[in-house]
């Protein structure tokens, strides 16, 4: 930025590079007013009367570029350039990304890959240094570790804003030395929280760590307590966990400055069908939040919290601007990035992929046989993972069974297995899950939070083995298997992301979904729902390479209940 030039233009002593003229929303006070926006060197330098050869007269309302307050690029299956291609038409110009998915597979080299792959795109990717890689060393096999030395190094990178979601809240409460070392290093940086269900004195103890955001709230009462104690709440509306409409009643005129909007994990077909942060704004409006406040939660609130020079239309901020037809409808007409028109019905310039390093093969699944997936024949009471629509939290279901009679599609009980894919050996955890709706066949994936081992669900071991073997063949991805036939979405980048263009990914994902419906699955995002069954930090019952995990007790438990 040439400050001298910018000041000269702001004073009216020189001409701007461009001017946007029209009705402008001030996210500072909710006012819509007519003005010219003067732009120089990619920055807003003035609001008032300005002239330029490059003047855009708008007939809608100009708002700040939208910001996703918390997301994982990897969960979209898209490379950064394709993610940008997907969300820019919906008005998103910045995202706060936590790269802990690829970090769990490839360590710090995976994070470097994502940062390199996001350079010089017309979408700003800001990153947080992953805090919990792996999520739980004792309860699963994993591909990599991020320790305090790695975090210290990353905090020196200009792309890193602070410490990513601090999932190990028990580590904080128990004063785990490794966790405390990481917190000491990040004392003067932003620390994202992650503490579902935490309240009372335990919440107080967690807040002393410096973590001051949360996107994992379960109840409205929990939201209000956390806001009261100083936390910023990211209202999450993802593909597997749709919390915004459930929690939006907690937002009011006195506390809305403490709320932001985020997606966390978002399927690309969801983006195509519903949009991105613009859709979250619409949901807020549908639930009696004023458009002005909803837009502020998606712009200024996030920019202020993370110290970003975006999120508002005011002198000195980057000229990330979006023209919408109407604040309520959020119908995006054009998008400006750094003062340049980048999208209006179509991209105005070809998106150029940055030079990136190639990733190596991170899928090393051992040879698995049907016998490896068998459960000993026995009769008695077992623990079953019980899942629910639009939530990633699970419950423990106790049921009397004979293992020769399960899986049982009639009772909606399927087998689930998690197999090490990091070359650590033949580590296999087996359990059962209710609520998936699968009637026949199997599905498998190398997207399984957070260590991203190979996970499979099926009604029979033969189809499960077919799906696992196909995963090995394509180098990671999503697979549906039925009677020896398969449908796939290959994810060769760390077993997490596709190297295809956005629309091609959607086309392949739709084919996989179509095939999943033939298995009887009615869940909208079955692979994303399956991916959370192995996450050992969110209550209540999970399955990892080590077996069933009682998250509340932080320990492996037997399938059988004595």
């Amino acid at each position: 930025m040439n400050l001298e030039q910018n000041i000269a233009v702001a004073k009216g002593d020189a001409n701007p590079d461009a001017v946007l003229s029209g009705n402008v929303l001030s996210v500072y006070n909710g006012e819509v007013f007519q003005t010219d926006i003067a732009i120089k060197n990619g920055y807003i330098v003035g609001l008032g009367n300005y002239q330029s050869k490059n003047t855009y007269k708008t007939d809608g309302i100009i708002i700040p570029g939208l910001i996703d307050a918390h997301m994982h690029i990897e969960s979209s299956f898209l490379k950064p350039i394709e993610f940008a291609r997907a969300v820019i038409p919906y008005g998103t110009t910045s995202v706060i990304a936590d790269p802990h998915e690829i970090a769990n597979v490839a360590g710090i080299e995976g994070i470097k890959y994502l940062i390199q792959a996001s350079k010089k795109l017309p979408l700003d990717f800001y990153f947080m240094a992953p805090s919990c890689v792996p999520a739980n060393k004792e309860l699963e096999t994993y591909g990599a570790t991020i320790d305090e030395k790695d975090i210290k190094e990353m905090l020196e990178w200009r792309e890193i804003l602070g410490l990513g979601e601090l999932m190990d809240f028990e580590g904080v409460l128990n004063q785990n030395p490794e966790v405390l070392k990481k917190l000491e290093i990040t004392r003067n940086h932003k620390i994202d929280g992650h503490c579902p269900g935490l309240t009372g004195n335990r919440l107080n103890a967690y807040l002393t760590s410096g973590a001051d955001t949360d996107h994992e709230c379960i109840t409205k009462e929990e939201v209000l307590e956390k806001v009261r104690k100083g936390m910023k709440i990211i209202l999450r509306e993802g593909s597997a966990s749709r919390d915004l409409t459930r929690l939006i009643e907690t937002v009011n005129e006195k506390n809305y400055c403490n709320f932001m909007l985020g997606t966390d994990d978002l399927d690309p077909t969801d983006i195509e069908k519903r949009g991105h942060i613009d859709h979250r704004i619409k949901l807020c409006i549908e639930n009696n939040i004023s458009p002005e406040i909803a837009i502020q939660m998606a712009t200024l609130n996030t920019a202020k919290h993370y110290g970003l020079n975006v999120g508002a239309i005011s002198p000195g901020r980057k000229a990330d601007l979006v023209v919408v037809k109407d604040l309520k409808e959020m119908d995006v007409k054009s998008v400006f990035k750094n003062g340049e028109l980048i999208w209006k019905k179509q991209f105005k310039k070809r998106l150029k992929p940055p030079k990136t390093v190639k990733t190596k093969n991170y899928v090393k699944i051992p040879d698995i046989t049907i016998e490896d997936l068998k459960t000993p024949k026995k009769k008695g009471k077992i623990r079953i993972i019980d899942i629910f629509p639009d939530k990633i939290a699970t419950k423990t279901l106790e049921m009397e069974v004979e293992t020769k009679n399960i899986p049982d599609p009639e009772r909606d009980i399927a087998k689930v297995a998690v197999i090490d894919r990091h070359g650590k050996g033949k580590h296999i955890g087996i359990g059962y899950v209710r609520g998936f709706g699968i009637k026949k066949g199997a599905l498998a994936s190398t997207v399984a939070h957070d260590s991203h081992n190979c996970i499979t669900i099926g009604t029979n071991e033969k189809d499960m083995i077919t799906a696992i073997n196909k995963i090995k063949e394509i180098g990671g991805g999503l697979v549906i298997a039925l009677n020896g036939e398969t449908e796939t979405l290959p994810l060769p980048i760390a077993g997490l992301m596709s190297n295809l263009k956005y629309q091609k990914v959607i086309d392949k994902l739709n084919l996989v979904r179509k095939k999943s419906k033939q298995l009887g699955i009615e869940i909208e995002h079955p692979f994303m729902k399956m991916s959370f069954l192995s996450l050992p930090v969110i209550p209540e019952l999970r399955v990892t390479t080590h077996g069933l995990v009682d998250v509340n007790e932080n320990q492996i438990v037997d399938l059988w209940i004595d």
Side-chain angles (χ1 to χ4, degrees):
M1 178 177 68
N2 188 315
L3 187 57
E4 187 176 350
Q5 289 181 358
N6 287 10
I7 291 172
V9 173
K11 288 166 60 182
D13 295 342
N15 290 329
D17 294 333
V19 167
L20 264 70
S21 180
N23 291 313
V24 172
L25 171 67
S26 170
V27 287
Y28 295 107
N29 63 6
E31 176 190 3
V32 175
F33 61 104
Q34 172 73 38
T35 192
D36 295 335
I37 303 172
I39 298 166
K40 184 67 178 177
N41 297 318
Y43 287 82
I44 299 165
V45 296
L47 303 176
N49 295 315
Y50 292 92
Q51 293 183 348
S52 172
K53 292 179 181 178
N54 298 317
T55 296
Y56 301 90
K57 293 189 177 180
T58 64
D59 58 0
I61 300 175
I62 308 169
I63 66 173
L66 307 180
I67 309 170
D68 190 333
H70 177 76
M71 55 84 69
H72 306 281
I73 303 167
E74 308 95 309
S75 293
S76 71
F77 308 134
L78 302 171
K79 297 185 295 185
I81 186 173
E82 297 305 318
F83 182 82
R85 196 186 309 278
V87 303
I88 286 171
Y90 298 106
T92 302
T93 54
S94 301
V95 299
I96 315 294
D98 186 330
H100 75 219
E101 314 297 358
I102 198 167
N104 271 282
V105 174
I108 200 166
E109 293 306 312
I111 300 170
K112 288 178 180 178
Y113 164 82
L114 269 190
I115 290 175
Q116 182 64 31
S118 64
K119 286 183 181 295
K120 296 182 180 179
L121 293 174
L123 176 72
D124 285 335
F125 291 85
Y126 300 96
F127 292 90
M128 305 296 284
S131 64
C132 300
V133 177
N136 195 313
K137 284 184 178 181
E138 308 302 322
L139 301 180
E140 58 186 338
T141 58
Y142 48 90
T145 59
I146 298 289
D147 60 22
E148 66 272 10
K149 293 179 182 177
D150 295 320
I151 291 171
K152 188 174 183 179
E153 177 187 338
M154 284 187 279
L155 290 174
E156 295 177 359
W157 304 348
R158 62 182 180 83
E159 297 89 355
I160 300 290
L161 300 179
L163 192 66
E165 50 185 307
L166 187 56
M167 294 182 289
D168 190 5
F169 60 81
E170 291 292 349
V172 175
L173 301 183
N174 295 328
Q175 302 165 62
N176 181 297
E178 288 186 21
V179 175
L180 296 184
K181 284 178 185 177
K182 293 175 182 177
L183 291 172
E184 284 295 328
I185 289 168
T186 52
R187 179 188 296 272
N188 297 317
H189 295 79
K190 286 295 177 187
I191 301 175
D192 277 340
H194 181 292
C195 52
L198 207 59
T199 60
N201 286 351
R202 283 166 56 82
L203 175 61
N204 295 337
Y206 183 72
L207 292 178
T208 63
S209 71
D212 61 355
T213 69
D214 196 16
H215 59 278
E216 290 286 353
C217 294
I218 298 172
T219 67
K220 296 172 188 175
E221 292 75 19
E222 180 186 340
V223 171
L224 292 173
E225 180 183 352
K226 286 175 174 174
V227 170
R228 185 183 306 124
K229 291 180 175 179
M231 293 194 93
K232 304 289 178 66
I233 303 301
I234 300 172
L235 293 171
R236 173 179 58 191
E237 186 73 8
S239 292
S241 193
R242 304 186 189 279
D243 301 327
L244 189 149
T245 52
R246 188 167 53 82
L247 301 175
I248 193 66
E249 287 181 16
T250 58
V251 180
N252 58 52
E253 290 188 357
K254 293 182 179 180
N255 69 12
Y256 68 85
C257 292
N258 300 296
F259 288 86
M260 300 175 274
L261 304 183
T263 60
D264 202 8
D265 299 286
L266 195 60
D267 185 292
T269 59
D270 247 351
I271 299 172
E272 183 187 52
K273 182 178 178 181
R274 298 183 174 96
H276 192 227
I277 296 300
D278 62 320
H279 174 64
R280 279 84 198 148
I281 292 172
K282 289 180 208 174
L283 287 177
C284 290
I285 295 169
E286 289 170 10
N287 286 274
N288 303 314
I289 301 296
S290 74
E292 296 81 6
I293 287 177
I295 292 169
Q296 181 177 325
M297 291 195 293
T299 56
L300 183 63
N301 290 4
T302 307
K304 275 186 172 182
H305 180 76
Y306 289 101
L308 308 179
N309 197 20
V310 291
I313 302 173
S314 59
R317 291 191 181 248
K318 290 175 67 174
D320 291 358
L321 306 164
V322 176
V323 181
V324 296
K325 185 177 180 180
D326 178 82
L327 294 184
K328 287 185 178 180
E329 297 299 323
M330 284 299 295
D331 183 9
V332 176
K333 300 180 70 175
S334 56
V335 181
F336 292 78
K337 181 67 182 154
N338 298 327
E340 182 181 357
L341 178 64
I342 58 169
W343 186 88
K344 188 174 184 179
K345 295 185 179 178
Q346 62 183 17
F347 282 95
K348 309 308 288 184
K349 286 185 178 180
R350 185 175 73 88
L351 299 189
K352 296 180 181 180
K355 290 182 180 179
T356 57
V357 294
K358 290 184 179 179
T359 58
K360 58 187 179 183
N361 176 29
Y362 288 100
V363 179
K364 302 169 185 175
I365 301 171
D367 291 334
I368 304 296
T369 67
I370 286 177
E371 290 303 314
D372 291 322
L373 300 185
K374 291 265 185 203
T375 309
K377 292 182 180 179
K378 192 175 174 181
K379 182 179 180 180
K381 185 180 288 187
I382 65 169
R383 295 176 172 89
I384 295 176
I385 302 169
D386 208 8
I387 66 171
F388 305 94
D390 299 334
K391 290 183 181 180
I392 53 178
T394 68
K395 288 291 184 182
T396 301
L397 176 68
E398 298 181 0
M399 183 178 289
E400 292 281 348
V401 300
E402 284 189 68
T403 51
K404 68 177 182 179
N405 297 327
I406 54 173
D408 183 357
E410 292 300 315
R411 290 191 288 175
D412 196 9
I413 299 172
K415 178 170 279 188
V416 56
V418 180
I419 303 103
D420 175 84
R421 66 104 149 183
H422 301 295
K424 301 289 180 70
K426 191 181 278 190
H427 300 283
I428 305 171
I430 295 173
Y432 293 90
V433 58
R434 186 180 76 166
F436 233 83
I438 186 170
K439 304 296 183 188
K440 54 186 177 181
L443 60 165
S445 172
T446 47
V447 179
H449 300 286
D450 268 344
S451 286
H452 298 292
N453 286 297
C454 178
I455 187 168
T456 177
I457 287 177
T459 60
N460 65 90
E461 290 87 1
K462 186 176 180 180
D463 282 325
M464 293 169 79
I465 292 294
T466 299
I468 293 167
N469 288 337
K470 193 66 177 181
I471 286 279
K472 292 169 67 175
E473 179 186 326
I474 63 177
L478 315 181
V479 174
I480 294 283
L482 178 63
N483 300 327
E485 302 273 324
T486 61
E487 191 69 62
T488 70
L489 169 59
L491 301 174
I493 303 173
L496 299 174
M497 293 178 288
S498 171
N499 55 13
L500 300 175
K501 289 192 177 293
Y502 165 51
Q503 195 57 55
K504 282 284 189 182
V505 174
I506 286 177
D507 292 344
K508 281 193 167 289
L509 195 51
N510 282 332
L511 285 175
V512 170
R513 290 257 176 74
K514 185 177 179 181
K515 193 79 171 180
S516 74
K517 289 187 179 296
Q518 293 176 16
L519 305 188
I521 299 171
E522 295 298 328
I523 295 170
E524 184 179 8
H525 302 291
F527 284 96
M528 192 167 285
K529 178 65 78 173
M530 179 174 70
S531 73
F532 285 102
L533 295 181
S534 59
L535 181 58
V537 294
I538 293 186
E540 180 172 87
L541 188 64
R542 305 282 159 171
V543 59
T544 72
T545 52
H546 288 13
L548 287 177
V549 176
D550 182 328
V551 179
N552 294 334
E553 298 297 326
N554 193 40
Q555 66 182 15
I556 300 293
V557 293
D558 198 79
L559 174 66
W560 299 93
I561 301 170
D562 293 334

